[in-house]
Amino acid sequence: MRTAEEMVQFCDDNNTGKGMTAKWRLKHFKVVEQQLKDDEDVLVCFIGLKNFVDIAHHEDNWAYAITNKRIIMGQKGLIGEKVVVVSLRDLNDVSFKKGVAFGVLTIDTIKEAFNVGLDKNSATSIHELVTNALMDLKEEMHQSSQTVQQAKADYPYEEVKKLKELLDKGIITEE
């Protein structure tokens, strides 16, 4: 997903956008869309109450997007907008608690933890979507790291092989 409209549609299709009208979801996801880099795609998105303590203590609804590189949180206000971005490298853990009226998804980072209040009917599915996306990303990063390590291990062999070919062609001498 790359556009706010696609993110709103994802929320509608996956029941991850409760608590506000489609018009306000679109405004919040426009803030997220503006943060996306050219090589970045949204894998999962949802709406939730930022820094949720209880029903009376939170920072209102924000749009959340898990991308292939980071977590983007955005909120469009009546005046201005707010954005928080967390690199996946700075992510420690994602945990979940479900209460009577709300579920709380905690995004724990190197610097701080974000408690996201979610309506109880969609909280479990949001947690599963986020966890699955992050596990898939972690696996991709692990495989990419192994490929880089293998390339580094092969480097001396490849370098000697190239030098031998140059020697055989008479382009270089043994000296």
Side-chain angles (χ1 to χ4, degrees):
M1 290 175 276
R2 300 249 345 127
T3 68
E5 291 80 9
E6 290 172 317
M7 290 180 245
V8 168
Q9 188 63 52
F10 179 92
C11 288
D12 290 344
D13 294 345
N14 294 281
N15 194 28
T16 62
K18 296 280 185 166
M20 61 186 350
T21 65
K23 179 181 173 182
W24 274 104
R25 283 194 308 254
L26 185 61
K27 289 180 181 186
H28 290 325
F29 282 120
K30 282 282 186 194
V31 174
V32 171
E33 178 184 335
Q34 292 168 0
Q35 299 300 311
L36 292 173
K37 298 179 191 250
D38 291 340
D39 62 345
E40 192 169 26
D41 292 305
V42 174
L43 307 173
V44 174
C45 57
F46 59 96
I47 297 290
L49 298 168
K50 184 171 176 271
N51 290 334
F52 182 83
V53 176
D54 59 41
I55 190 64
H57 300 93
H58 53 75
E59 293 181 35
D60 294 321
N61 281 305
W62 283 55
Y64 295 82
I66 310 298
T67 77
N68 55 322
K69 299 194 178 293
R70 55 201 178 138
I71 300 172
I72 303 172
M73 304 169 219
Q75 182 191 51
K76 176 71 175 168
L78 293 174
I79 301 174
E81 53 193 42
K82 299 175 188 173
V83 176
V84 176
V85 176
V86 176
S87 169
L88 293 180
R89 289 186 303 266
D90 294 342
L91 183 65
N92 289 332
D93 192 23
V94 174
S95 59
F96 176 69
K97 290 187 295 186
K98 189 170 179 181
V100 175
F102 284 91
V104 178
L105 183 73
T106 300
I107 301 168
D108 183 32
T109 72
I110 290 173
K111 294 181 182 178
E112 63 186 305
F114 301 94
N115 291 321
V116 183
L118 305 166
D119 77 280
K120 71 175 186 172
N121 295 325
S122 61
T124 301
S125 63
I126 290 172
H127 173 250
E128 288 174 5
L129 288 167
V130 168
T131 302
N132 289 340
L134 291 172
M135 287 174 60
D136 290 348
L137 285 169
K138 186 174 182 176
E139 179 63 28
E140 284 177 27
M141 288 171 22
H142 178 71
Q143 288 175 356
S144 176
S145 173
Q146 284 182 326
T147 302
V148 168
Q149 288 173 354
Q150 184 62 43
K152 285 181 181 178
D154 291 344
Y155 178 76
Y157 169 76
E158 293 297 322
E159 193 66 23
V160 169
K161 184 177 169 184
K162 287 178 190 175
L163 290 172
K164 173 69 168 120
E165 288 172 7
L166 292 173
L167 179 66
D168 291 345
K169 291 179 182 177
I171 297 171
I172 63 172
T173 64
E174 286 187 26
E175 291 84 37

